[in-house]
Amino acid sequence: MIGNYRINLGAGIVGFILTFFVAYSSNVLMTSLIRGLIGFVAWFVLAYGLRWGLGLLLNPSVEGNGYGYDSPGAQELRGSQVDIKLEDDGQELNDLLKHGQNASSGENLPPSETKAPTGFAPLDPPKLVRTKEPEELAQAVRHLTDK
């Protein structure tokens, strides 16, 4: 945890003063004191929670196998290893770079390096055909704009 109990006590006193004066403007003295004490407790607990949360964020430690981030051995290894696994596209990429565009179509490559067809076919949409005369379409547009 960061700091000590004095931070909690200071936050509690600030909470007591704020709550007391806000409550005293519309309540009697005894009610304002009770509400001030409730404010003190609330701000004390909030400060404790804030200190605890900041302590976790700023001092992380992993309890796996007894080795934490703060141990001397972990300090030496920190940031020295990266484990990344990529898909096995390396050979295909190398062939494409070596042979240019022909590698993707399978030309000039041994049969073992050609890929099986994937069933991909480019989209071939049908052509639009007009079934109405231009004058008839113009009449429809004129009829719709009149309404």
Side-chain angles (χ1 to χ4, degrees), residues 1-2 8 45-58:
M1 240 187 289
I2 296 174
N8 295 12
V45 170
L46 286 174
Y48 184 81
L50 183 66
R51 281 182 46 218
W52 180 74
L54 286 175
L56 285 178
L57 289 175
L58 298 178

Side-chain angles (χ1 to χ4, degrees), residues 70-146:
D70 296 331
S71 66
Q75 290 290 340
E76 295 172 4
L77 295 176
R78 187 181 292 179
S80 64
Q81 296 177 349
V82 177
D83 295 331
I84 298 175
K85 184 172 190 249
L86 301 175
E87 292 184 25
D88 194 19
D89 292 337
Q91 184 61 34
E92 186 177 326
L93 182 61
N94 286 338
D95 292 341
L96 182 63
L97 290 173
K98 286 179 186 175
H99 303 292
Q101 293 279 334
N102 295 337
S104 61
S105 63
E107 296 174 8
N108 300 328
L109 292 177
S112 62
E113 294 184 14
T114 58
K115 294 183 79 175
T118 59
F120 172 78
L123 184 62
D124 187 20
K127 296 193 182 227
L128 296 175
V129 179
R130 292 186 183 164
T131 57
K132 303 221 179 233
E133 294 295 321
E135 186 60 34
E136 188 178 347
L137 291 173
Q139 288 291 339
V141 170
R142 286 186 197 117
H143 176 70
L144 290 174
T145 55
D146 287 342

